[in-house]
Amino acid sequence: MLRVCQRAADVKLLTLETTCDETAAAVVTDRLEVLGSVVASQDDLHKRFGGVVPEIASRAHLERILPVIDQALRQAGVSLAELDAVAVANTPGLAGSLLVGLVAAKALCVALDVPLVAVNHLQAHIYACRLASDEDVFPCVGLIVSGGHTSLYRCGGPLQFDLLGATTDDAAGEAFDKVASMLSLPYPGGPSIQRAAEHGDPTAYRLPRALLRDEDRLDFSFSGLKTAVRYQLVGPGRQDFAKVQLADSQVADLAASFQEAVVDCLVGKAFAALRQTGLSILCVGGGVAANTRLRQRLKEEADRRDIRLHVAPLRLCTDNAVMGAIAVERLRAGLVEDLDLDVFPGVVRKTG
Ligand code: KG4
Ligand code: ZN
């Protein structure tokens, strides 16, 4: 029995993340210690397109996955033979990207004769809040706001998610990226818009906040906001943003006004979800959760309403494999996968 306890405290997992355009690997223990973590960003490859190109992303994952795994293991001082399980995000994401991580994980599981653990990428984004907290963060409302997703979940536990609402068109991060491209700001758009907005007036342009007044509905829509920014620049019909000459102050004002509109929608719907569910804990994860203005507004609102707020730490907002430590919860629950596990690019509405 003593041996089992010692062994249980020592379980080491390799976690892989290739859902979109970051190739990442981490080594974590079942006590949620992070022994090593490597993220290879593909931003440079997608920059000139102003967004992620799926085919380029999957090819880049293929080139990088083995060096990234090697580096994470070296950082951790852990050999392949010491691994007790391999976990991989297999849903949701870009099919070709997901496949690279899944095939690498399966190959390792066969070679090492260790169990395969499936990670839901959206649950992992919320679990980033748990990893940064000394206390349990469940049950909570989970807001995942990234380049590919903008969704609200009722999270009964780390593995029990129930969809409350989601974007009906663009994800918030995608809107940041597209608007940045219109303003000739560099990719990825979120950090660029945030920087430009620091010097801008958020009330300079009147931009739409779709669905915000409809309190019963917990969905989002950002495509109209994107179009509204476009009309401020070129008007209907014309598309050549490169020819638009904008003063720095105009860029700053548009960036600030756009950012404020997105933040209003995210904060408004997150707190509407708390009211509807009666929950008093809010967890926020995903790349856009790195946004300073969003973090500030969430905190103000949470303080005012006596809500316990957990926003993922900056290093765990954008895609990484550390948040794949949620695999520990699945291992504990005995949830391991057969080797015929597939990828599921779409969003699962209900889990657990
Ligand atoms: O979570 P993530 O790495 O990938 C997905 O799962 O989609 O999120 C990437 C997204 C990009 O759209 C990027 O522009 C956005 O997160 N982002 C930000 C900030 N940092 C990254 N958006 C707003 N403000 C930021 N500071
Ligand atoms: Zn993500």
Side-chain angles (χ1 to χ4, degrees):
M1 186 63 196
L2 185 62
R3 212 179 147 266
V4 172
C5 289
Q6 277 174 346
R7 179 92 193 97
D10 254 332
V11 171
K12 293 185 185 71
L13 292 92
L14 174 70
T15 60
L16 304 182
E17 155 62 45
T18 63
T19 58
C20 187
D21 66 335
E22 261 93 27
T23 317
V27 181
V28 300
T29 71
D30 62 337
R31 282 181 284 174
L32 302 181
E33 294 159 321
V34 181
L35 304 180
S37 167
V38 176
V39 180
S41 160
Q42 300 180 8
D43 284 352
D44 282 347
L45 298 178
H46 302 286
K47 210 174 241 169
R48 71 191 175 101
F49 303 101
V52 177
V53 182
E55 183 62 19
I56 293 177
S58 48
R59 280 165 190 255
H61 284 309
L62 211 49
E63 288 165 7
R64 293 160 188 218
I65 187 78
L66 294 181
V68 163
I69 292 172
D70 270 347
Q71 216 180 319
L73 288 168
R74 242 180 294 128
Q75 216 182 72
V78 169
S79 69
L80 279 174
E82 289 174 281
L83 292 175
D84 297 291
V86 179
V88 61
N90 74 320
T91 183
L94 301 171
S97 293
L98 289 165
L99 271 170
V100 176
L102 181 63
V103 171
K106 283 183 183 179
L108 285 167
C109 288
V110 172
L112 304 173
D113 193 20
V114 295
L116 174 67
V117 187
V119 164
N120 176 311
H121 179 71
L122 300 186
Q123 292 179 342
H125 267 306
I126 293 300
Y127 203 68
C129 297
R130 167 70 187 87
L131 289 172
S133 168
D134 295 334
E135 4 168 327
D136 196 8
V137 300
F138 301 100
C140 66
V141 165
L143 170 64
I144 297 127
V145 60
S146 71
H149 307 277
T150 305
S151 338
L152 279 163
Y153 282 88
R154 177 204 294 272
C155 313
L159 305 174
Q160 289 144 25
F161 275 38
D162 206 345
L163 190 68
L164 296 168
T167 182
T168 55
D169 39 56
D170 297 340
E174 191 183 346
F176 267 98
D177 293 336
K178 297 285 153 52
V179 167
S181 162
M182 290 180 207
L183 296 174
S184 301
L185 295 170
Y187 178 84
S192 310
I193 295 230
Q194 177 177 309
R195 235 173 288 124
E198 279 168 20
H199 312 288
D201 171 6
T203 63
Y205 292 87
R206 276 189 57 200
L207 297 172
R209 275 100 168 127
L211 307 176
L212 188 56
R213 294 227 183 104
D214 189 349
E215 276 255 333
D216 295 337
R217 215 173 143 189
L218 297 175
D219 293 324
F220 304 89
S221 167
F222 296 108
S223 74
L225 171 60
K226 209 175 59 181
T227 308
V229 174
R230 176 178 182 274
Y231 284 178
Q232 295 292 340
L233 294 170
V234 291
R238 289 180 48 202
Q239 303 245 15
D240 197 351
F241 298 102
K243 290 196 180 131
V244 178
Q245 296 292 324
L246 288 174
D248 286 353
S249 63
Q250 275 174 296
V251 172
D253 285 347
L254 259 176
S257 303
F258 163 78
Q259 178 176 265
E260 202 64 15
V262 175
V263 169
D264 276 348
C265 296
L266 296 174
V267 173
K269 292 295 177 191
F271 283 85
L274 286 159
R275 279 194 295 280
Q276 276 189 30
T277 56
L279 292 165
S280 58
I281 304 177
L282 174 63
C283 287
V284 187
V288 181
N291 186 271
T292 308
R293 181 68 182 140
L294 175 62
R295 296 169 88 92
Q296 179 192 9
R297 289 278 309 282
L298 286 167
K299 174 148 190 350
E300 284 167 9
E301 204 66 18
D303 288 348
R304 189 172 311 141
R305 297 177 192 275
D306 217 9
I307 293 295
R308 242 174 72 199
L309 173 68
H310 297 271
V311 186
L314 287 181
R315 67 180 190 287
L316 298 183
C317 282
T318 42
D319 289 346
N320 63 86
V322 170
M323 63 192 191
I326 191 173
V328 169
E329 304 279 350
R330 290 187 71 87
L331 261 187
R332 277 185 196 143
L335 297 169
V336 295
E337 307 300 324
D338 290 334
L339 287 175
D340 62 358
L341 178 71
D342 207 346
V343 298
F344 299 97
V347 171
V348 181
R349 297 183 69 87
K350 193 171 166 62
T351 60

